[in-house]
Amino acid sequence: MIVRVSGIGPVDATFEAPSSKSYTHRALIAAALAAGRSRITAPLRAADTELTAQGLESLGVPIEWLPGEITVTGCSGAFPAPGEVTIDCRNSGTTLRLLASAALLAPHPVVLTGSTRMLERPIGPLADALRTLGGDVAFTGRPGFPPIRISGRLRGGKAAIDGSMSSQFISSILMAAPYADEDVELTLPAPPASQSYLDVTADVMLRFGARLERRGYEWFRVKSGVPYRGRGYRVEGDYSSASYLFAVAAVCGGRVTVTGLNPASVQGDRRFLDALEAMGCRVAAGADAVTVERTGDLEGIEIDMSSSPDTVQTLAAVAATAASPTTITGIAHLQYKESDRVGVTAEVLRRMGAGVLVTEDSLMVTPAHLHGVLVDPHDDHRTAMAFAVLGLAVGGMAIRDPGCVEKSFPGFWEALYGEGLL
């Protein structure tokens, strides 16, 4: 299937932000490990979050999806799985990584596997740290990559962990740590990738009752024996998904308002709004909504997006419509995502006519006269959405495999249709 995107003029649209994928994953895991029952309202029901829920169910946790909410009956930190479990995480790296540490709370071995692309995404640093903390981690295929077989016990103690590929390695251990035999103390020898997601992890853990201490992004300690408690929890709106909607105003001109967003959120992808403002857009935040408006030309900028990785492609798409070049840094770890996002973005922009220069940790986009092309997103939801937005400015764009957006923003195409943009 292919979605065809035509160019449009200035817009005046209002959207509701989908719920946060990152918060939904973490709330599911905290609720599953908690004592008692939790009610998670306004969760994101998407392909990735369903995979996390299915993984937890296979470990013995009852989970019920209801309209607008999830009920989870926690296991008090001890999964009741009756035997060895294999969890197919498909293309959800978050599911595989976050469940890897929690698997040590199961009484029997847990095998984590996934799609062909998943088997190319490294997990060695997490495995090394889990071994230090008491786990037995075996690679059943290529060393350092899934599939992995996890057994043993989360004893706790001190470990150093390299999070420069993914902060999810750190989040994984932190989320399981309240149930270790002793306190867990993590030292990060290098700045982690996507460090703002550690703020999201800490936020969920604290709200579910864990005790966590930290020194910035260098050191974390989680108190053993202070478990999660079942509770009511509401998932906030997702700035990552909202970025595509804000970008419509930036590339087409006009105004877009997105409701359902927490103005005090710790989500790093809020920085996308700073980038748009620096490029010449007007940004106005209210109690639960943000409006982006563009009336003049966009100017290129230089910006570090290391804490806002999921909006790099969207910003690159916006940059292609500016009046001067844009340089985005802090992108090296994007090659380990659902696709090599930097490589794919550069290839599509070049085919559209833009100038692109890629280094190990930067992407420079030089605007030029653009034309639409056929985009193969390589099963990457963020590639599909970023170039669909650019297509609204350029016209003649065709997006192959549009269903891949189900991973994080199932209502993306419907949202655009609903506002008359497609």
Side-chain angles (χ1 to χ4, degrees):
M1 182 179 176
I2 290 176
V3 168
R4 300 190 183 277
V5 184
S6 300
I8 60 172
V11 299
D12 188 358
T14 299
F15 302 94
E16 182 177 0
S19 295
S20 167
K21 181 165 76 80
S22 300
Y23 270 101
T24 302
H25 279 298
R26 289 158 175 79
L28 279 167
I29 293 171
L33 293 175
R37 195 173 186 215
S38 294
R39 178 171 173 259
I40 303 171
T41 56
L44 177 72
R45 186 162 193 174
D48 270 19
T49 54
E50 287 186 340
L51 286 168
T52 292
Q54 290 164 14
L56 293 167
E57 287 179 304
S58 69
L59 292 168
V61 175
I63 295 177
E64 184 178 9
W65 292 85
L66 299 168
E69 66 180 67
I70 311 170
T71 58
V72 183
T73 304
C75 67
S76 298
F79 290 120
E84 180 168 325
V85 171
T86 296
I87 300 174
D88 184 355
C89 303
R90 293 162 62 184
N91 206 24
S92 177
T94 305
T95 299
L96 189 142
R97 291 162 177 163
L98 294 188
L99 291 184
S101 300
L104 289 174
L105 305 177
H108 304 285
V110 176
V111 176
L112 296 167
T113 188
S115 65
T116 300
R117 173 61 181 171
M118 181 65 68
L119 305 190
E120 298 172 347
R121 300 175 70 177
I123 198 170
L126 175 56
D128 291 342
L130 288 178
R131 291 179 182 125
T132 300
L133 297 172
D136 182 5
V137 182
F139 299 108
T140 63
R142 179 183 174 192
F145 296 80
I148 53 174
R149 186 175 185 270
I150 300 173
S151 58
R153 185 179 180 86
L154 187 58
R155 302 194 182 280
K158 298 180 179 181
I161 182 165
D162 181 0
S164 59
M165 288 183 189
S166 174
S167 64
Q168 289 177 357
F169 298 161
I170 303 155
S171 289
S172 175
I173 295 173
L174 293 177
M175 292 221 66
Y179 299 96
D181 294 341
E182 58 182 279
D183 293 357
V184 172
E185 188 173 319
L186 295 182
T187 300
L188 283 54
S194 313
Q195 62 187 26
S196 62
Y197 286 94
L198 295 175
D199 300 326
V200 174
T201 298
D203 187 24
V204 173
M205 291 177 65
L206 293 171
R207 288 175 182 266
F208 275 84
R211 188 176 302 171
L212 179 149
E213 303 172 58
R214 62 186 291 188
R215 287 199 299 269
Y217 303 99
E218 301 173 355
W219 175 87
F220 294 83
R221 181 167 62 199
V222 179
K223 182 70 175 176
S224 171
V226 183
Y228 299 128
R229 297 185 298 272
R231 55 160 295 168
Y233 180 85
R234 183 174 182 83
V235 178
E236 65 179 60
D238 190 45
Y239 275 89
S240 302
S241 294
S243 74
Y244 306 105
L245 309 175
F246 293 133
V248 172
V251 302
C252 296
R255 179 191 299 111
V256 165
T257 297
V258 181
T259 64
L261 293 171
N262 174 12
S265 176
V266 300
Q267 294 179 56
D269 285 323
R270 285 176 60 202
R271 183 163 170 73
F272 183 75
L273 292 168
D274 297 334
L276 294 185
E277 194 166 38
M279 297 179 82
C281 294
R282 287 196 291 271
V283 178
D288 68 345
V290 178
T291 297
V292 171
E293 184 175 10
R294 179 179 75 80
T295 56
D297 291 337
L298 295 175
E299 296 296 330
I301 58 173
E302 294 186 9
I303 188 167
D304 179 354
M305 295 292 281
S306 57
S307 286
S308 309
D310 288 340
T311 59
V312 166
Q313 288 173 290
T314 324
L315 184 57
V318 173
T321 68
S324 55
T326 291
T327 300
I328 307 169
T329 59
I331 64 168
H333 58 290
L334 293 185
Q335 64 182 297
Y336 304 116
K337 298 290 187 176
E338 286 86 341
S339 65
D340 176 359
R341 287 181 175 164
V342 175
V344 171
T345 299
E347 182 266 332
V348 176
L349 287 176
R350 285 177 182 135
R351 284 198 290 119
M352 294 182 71
V356 183
L357 177 64
V358 177
T359 70
E360 182 180 352
D361 196 40
S362 72
L363 173 69
M364 186 173 79
V365 179
T366 300
H369 179 71
L370 302 176
H371 56 85
V373 297
L374 174 64
V375 178
D376 180 355
H378 300 279
D379 199 28
D380 194 323
H381 52 135
R382 303 209 180 278
T383 301
M385 291 187 282
F387 283 104
V389 168
L390 184 53
L392 293 173
V394 176
M397 192 77 83
I399 311 295
R400 183 176 288 161
D401 185 25
C404 66
V405 304
E406 294 287 327
K407 183 177 176 67
S408 65
F409 194 165
F412 174 73
W413 303 112
E414 290 77 7
L416 297 184
Y417 276 116
E419 287 294 322
L421 305 182
L422 289 180

